[in-house]
């Protein structure tokens, strides 16, 4: 974290994504499927940390459908990686 805060200067573009809204609750509710349950997207400096990673960067807040699609793709990529390594 300290090294990222100082800047990494990576030679590649960075895309930081998060749901357009956060829902941080102690117990599961169905509406958590369409919200970020890890990051508080209201804390803008956390999202702007991408600026310390590379010269080319972008922050994108995803709507409900986009966020669900991203989670599906990440799940499929994880499954394919597991099958490949197995």
């Amino acid at each position: 974290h300290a090294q990222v805060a100082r800047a990494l200067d990576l030679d590649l573009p960075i895309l930081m994504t998060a749901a357009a809204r956060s829902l941080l609750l102690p117990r599961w509710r169905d509406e958590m499927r369409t919200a970020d349950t890890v990051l508080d997207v209201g804390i803008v400096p956390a999202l702007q940390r991408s600026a310390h990673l590379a010269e080319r960067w972008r922050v994108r807040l995803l709507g409900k459908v986009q966020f669900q699609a991203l989670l599906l793709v990440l799940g499929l990529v994880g499954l394919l990686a597991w099958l490949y390594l197995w």
Side-chain angles (χ1 to χ4, degrees):
H1 291 281
Q3 188 176 2
V4 170
R6 287 190 302 272
L8 294 180
D9 195 27
L10 300 173
D11 188 26
L12 51 100
I14 301 294
L15 174 62
M16 173 74 168
T17 62
R21 67 184 189 98
S22 296
L23 191 57
L24 307 174
L25 300 171
R27 297 198 191 282
W28 176 258
R29 292 187 359 202
D30 277 341
E31 59 222 82
M32 294 171 90
R33 294 180 193 277
T34 59
D36 199 314
T37 59
V38 176
L39 297 175
D40 183 353
V41 295
I43 303 175
V44 177
L47 294 176
Q48 291 180 337
R49 183 60 63 109
S50 333
H52 295 280
L53 299 176
E55 187 174 314
R56 296 174 293 159
W57 62 277
R58 175 174 294 213
V59 172
R60 171 87 177 172
L61 297 179
L62 304 176
K64 178 179 177 178
V65 173
Q66 293 169 316
F67 187 66
Q68 287 179 326
L70 176 65
L71 293 179
L72 175 64
V73 168
L74 291 176
L76 289 174
V77 168
L79 176 63
L80 290 174
W82 180 81
L83 289 172
Y84 176 77
L85 294 173
W86 184 60

